[in-house]
Amino acid sequence: MDATDKPRLYRRGPLEYAAWAVCVLVAGGLAHTLVTNENYQWNVVGQYFTAPTILEGLRLTIVLTILAMLFGGILGMVIAVMRASTVRPVQLLASGYITFFRGTPVLVQLIFWFNIAALYPNIAVGIPFTGISHAVDVNVLMSATTAAIIGLSLNEAAYLAEIIRGGFASVDKGQIEAADSLGMSSRKKLFRVIIPQAMPTVVPATGNQMIGMFKETSLVSVLGVAELLQSTQLIYARTYQTIPLLIVACLWYLIMTLALSYPQSLIEKRYSLVRSRVSREAPVDPVPMDGEAR
Amino acid sequence: MNGDGTVYARRLRKCYGDRVVLGSIDLDVRSGEIVCIIGPSGSGKSTLLRCIDGLEEVDRGILRVNGEDLGFVETDTAYRALSRKEMAMQRTRIGMVFQQFNLFPNMTARENVMAGPVLVKGVAKKAAASRADSLLADVGLAGHGDHYPWQLSGGQKQRVAIARALAMDPSVMLFDEPTSALDPERVGEVLAVMKGLAERGMTMLVATHEMGFAKEVADTVLFMDGGLVVEQGPPTAVLGNPTEARTQKFLEKVL
């Protein structure tokens, strides 16, 4: 064999072999127990995997995720814009919101919204000075599902606001100056210059939040909302087949997360390309200019 | 043309905290005059241009662009700030070209040039697009309308930026070191466009390190140092036969 054609064999460290050994051992052990331990009751998993109650729960989980992300996104955008405002009180209001909703557990917030009637039993909607008003019983208004949507959305808005703010901060200051220099109004500046350029940072992060939100919805089971987890609980409360039903829930969460991960990776790839193009926008001349160098 | 194309300043002063960036600037720029501002970095030439474009707040003094107090209206006792809208109107009459181009990366070259007329003046898209194409042709970029900034070289980007500023029909053009971020072989193409603009009678204030350009094109050269105008006059005097020691020292290093 000609020496120039010989393959080069690189060394593998002993650590890599050890890691493989551990990997195989763990996988083998896991497979063994999954198959031999009858308490997993795989037949029950199969039986309930596509049961109507479970699928109905899954549907509600998907709806909750979409609504929470939608409302959270809209509100998050508003808060991010307020946070970036030069008017101090507006800014303070936004940071107060973010501090509060990020500083308290979502679970507590959800229970709080569910019980808001204890604080405000009635709300009256009316037109001032006309005597026209309509009172609503908050207990009726605030169903478990409503509380779930409100709680998840308001919480998510705080996180998305921070992500969007980060996106705004990633836009070069020169862009704003160029827009100002043309005499652009704040609104045009926001929608035509800042937001489009913030998207490459905001969109991938929002995708991650959505994957997180999908699992976060399981918290609303404490309010008795029949989403995926609560649906399994409803069944095993009756049949005592706790583990197999939790496995059903886990499998669905896993499947949905994986299904969301694929578009997420496409989005990340696409936007990292956009980012690299944008960053090439301002090449710095390696040759220092005459007067500047000294 | 919008406005009379003059810039007038008296005892213009600007500080960042305790640091004085512009000490006391007097300016008298006639319509159609080409003023080149030279000086070491940190001398305040960029800040002066940024003040004239309203990007920096002025602390004290008079600043009139196109015969109007920039961003303010004078009352008996003070200068009262204009509304954002009124300020934006004034800015449409002033064109600014930045060292780092600051093209909008989410828009094509054509859309960049259209941005001002469409988004600010409400010009119909079709009319703005054909105007943009002719402006791009003027700066030697015919056929580049569909290219995004990342597909253009530095010199091309800067020429798009000039076209973008011109699309607003300004009567004063400000250039903040327009060639300092360019590869040396790209400098000429941008300077050529600026020369053409000067010949057509545009009022121009140019902060630059290009002494050749200043000598050839400028009506007046301002030498700034430490936030003050140290020396000013025709290029033959300031560049050829400077009277101030600081000017002499600076030119010795640069030329």
Side-chain angles (χ1 to χ4, degrees):
Chain A
M1 196 184 207
D2 188 345
T4 58
D5 288 335
K6 286 179 187 163
R8 282 174 186 270
L9 303 176
Y10 288 96
R11 292 174 67 110
R12 281 166 193 250
L15 204 68
E16 195 175 341
Y17 291 111
W20 273 114
V22 171
C23 206
V24 167
L25 273 175
V26 170
L30 203 61
H32 179 77
T33 175
L34 283 174
V35 173
T36 56
N37 187 338
E38 285 177 0
N39 292 333
Y40 280 108
Q41 302 177 62
W42 290 105
N43 58 327
V44 179
V45 172
Q47 181 193 334
Y48 283 108
F49 190 64
T50 53
T53 316
I54 299 291
L55 291 183
E56 186 54 31
L58 179 64
R59 196 189 64 87
L60 190 56
T61 288
I62 293 171
V63 169
L64 282 175
T65 306
I66 291 171
L67 289 181
M69 290 305 291
L70 185 71
F71 295 142
I74 295 168
L75 185 59
M77 179 63 87
V78 172
I79 291 165
V81 171
M82 286 171 67
R83 187 75 178 71
S85 166
T86 47
V87 184
R88 195 84 177 117
V90 173
Q91 211 184 74
L92 283 174
L93 219 59
S95 19
Y97 181 95
I98 293 169
T99 309
F100 179 78
F101 281 93
R102 292 206 313 173
T104 52
V106 206
L107 186 55
V108 177
Q109 288 172 29
L110 286 165
I111 300 169
F112 181 87
W113 287 112
F114 189 48
N115 293 294
I116 191 77
L119 210 49
Y120 302 102
N122 290 290
I123 48 169
V125 189
I127 307 161
F129 312 119
T130 57
I132 305 168
S133 81
H134 181 67
V136 189
D137 184 351
V138 173
N139 249 325
V140 177
L141 192 73
M142 194 57 71
S143 74
T145 314
T146 318
I149 293 168
I150 290 177
L152 291 175
S153 302
L154 293 185
N155 184 260
E156 190 58 22
Y159 284 92
L160 288 177
E162 282 295 272
I163 288 173
I164 295 167
R165 187 167 78 102
F168 287 175
S170 74
V171 177
D172 184 46
K173 218 174 112 250
Q175 292 291 313
I176 292 151
E177 290 182 350
D180 278 338
S181 171
L182 290 173
M184 242 183 247
S185 66
S186 312
R187 242 174 69 120
K188 295 267 165 62
K189 211 162 52 182
L190 181 67
F191 286 104
R192 301 307 187 96
V193 177
I194 299 174
I195 290 178
Q197 292 187 57
M199 281 302 145
T201 358
V202 172
V203 171
T206 305
N208 271 329
Q209 285 295 114
M210 182 148 178
I211 292 172
M213 174 57 75
F214 190 76
K215 291 163 287 174
E216 202 177 300
T217 53
S218 61
L219 290 176
V220 309
S221 63
V222 297
L223 307 183
V225 176
E227 44 66 69
L228 184 52
L229 181 61
Q230 177 67 9
S231 302
T232 62
Q233 285 172 347
L234 285 175
I235 298 171
Y236 71 64
R238 200 159 27 84
T239 66
Y240 298 105
Q241 292 159 320
T242 310
I243 295 296
L245 277 151
L246 286 179
I247 291 174
V248 168
C250 280
L251 284 176
W252 275 118
Y253 282 119
L254 207 61
I255 289 168
M256 290 305 294
T257 307
L258 287 172
L260 285 172
S261 300
Y262 179 64
Q264 169 69 9
S265 69
L266 290 186
I267 287 170
E268 273 175 17
K269 217 180 271 174
R270 193 188 128 70
Y271 279 107
S272 75
L273 186 71
V274 175
R275 253 202 308 273
S276 71
R277 283 173 182 174
V278 170
S279 65
R280 260 190 283 158
E281 147 73 5
V284 176
D285 188 359
V287 184
M289 298 310 291
D290 36 31
E292 217 73 76
R294 281 155 282 217
Chain B
M1 281 275 242
N2 300 292
D4 63 9
T6 59
V7 180
Y8 173 88
R10 282 295 174 273
R11 297 182 59 196
L12 195 67
R13 191 179 163 82
K14 160 91 190 157
C15 307
Y16 289 127
D18 289 341
R19 207 163 67 84
V20 181
V21 236
L22 294 177
S24 175
I25 304 284
D26 291 351
L27 275 179
D28 280 289
V29 183
R30 289 175 282 108
S31 179
E33 189 174 349
I34 315 299
V35 179
C36 281
I37 307 168
I38 61 168
S41 42
S43 59
K45 46 190 198 306
S46 279
T47 309
L48 177 58
L49 291 184
R50 292 167 59 81
C51 285
I52 298 172
D53 197 37
L55 292 173
E56 301 280 350
E57 287 174 2
V58 171
D59 295 331
R60 203 175 281 273
I62 303 174
L63 174 60
R64 293 195 190 118
V65 185
N66 291 319
E68 306 169 309
D69 286 304
L70 187 78
F72 288 84
V73 60
E74 191 180 355
T75 66
D76 288 343
T77 49
Y79 282 99
R80 199 166 48 74
L82 293 177
S83 74
R84 247 185 240 203
K85 220 173 179 176
E86 291 167 310
M87 175 86 184
M89 270 309 290
Q90 290 188 336
R91 279 174 149 171
T92 62
R93 296 175 208 125
I94 308 165
M96 179 88 167
V97 174
F98 299 89
Q99 180 177 355
Q100 296 293 348
F101 329 125
N102 296 351
L103 290 183
F104 304 126
N106 53 319
M107 302 180 194
T108 62
R110 183 183 298 112
E111 287 165 346
N112 264 282
V113 181
M114 288 163 64
V118 172
L119 299 177
V120 180
K121 288 185 171 172
V123 175
K125 271 196 178 167
K126 220 171 171 184
S130 70
R131 173 87 204 287
D133 283 336
S134 84
L135 281 166
L136 285 172
D138 285 349
V139 296
L141 290 173
H144 286 279
D146 291 323
H147 289 161
Y148 280 90
W150 60 271
Q151 295 170 306
L152 301 171
S153 73
Q156 291 172 326
K157 277 189 258 200
Q158 194 58 297
R159 285 183 283 153
V160 174
I162 293 172
R164 176 175 69 178
L166 290 175
M168 297 300 277
D169 297 312
S171 34
V172 177
M173 282 286 284
L174 310 171
F175 295 83
D176 184 7
E177 300 197 27
T179 57
S180 296
L182 300 179
D183 290 336
E185 70 264 35
R186 298 287 187 182
V187 170
E189 61 195 49
V190 171
L191 293 181
V193 168
M194 290 167 62
K195 244 178 256 179
L197 200 56
E199 279 157 18
R200 278 182 281 162
M202 176 67 76
T203 307
M204 290 166 56
L205 279 86
V206 187
T208 188
H209 290 300
E210 295 293 328
M211 295 306 149
F213 177 82
K215 198 176 273 176
E216 189 184 345
V217 182
D219 298 309
T220 307
V221 174
L222 288 183
F223 172 69
M224 285 184 71
D225 195 14
L228 293 168
V229 175
V230 176
E231 188 165 358
Q232 62 176 309
T236 44
V238 178
L239 298 176
N241 190 17
T243 53
E244 295 288 330
R246 267 190 287 177
T247 319
Q248 288 164 2
K249 225 173 145 190
F250 174 75
L251 289 173
E252 258 170 46
K253 284 185 189 168
V254 174
L255 291 177

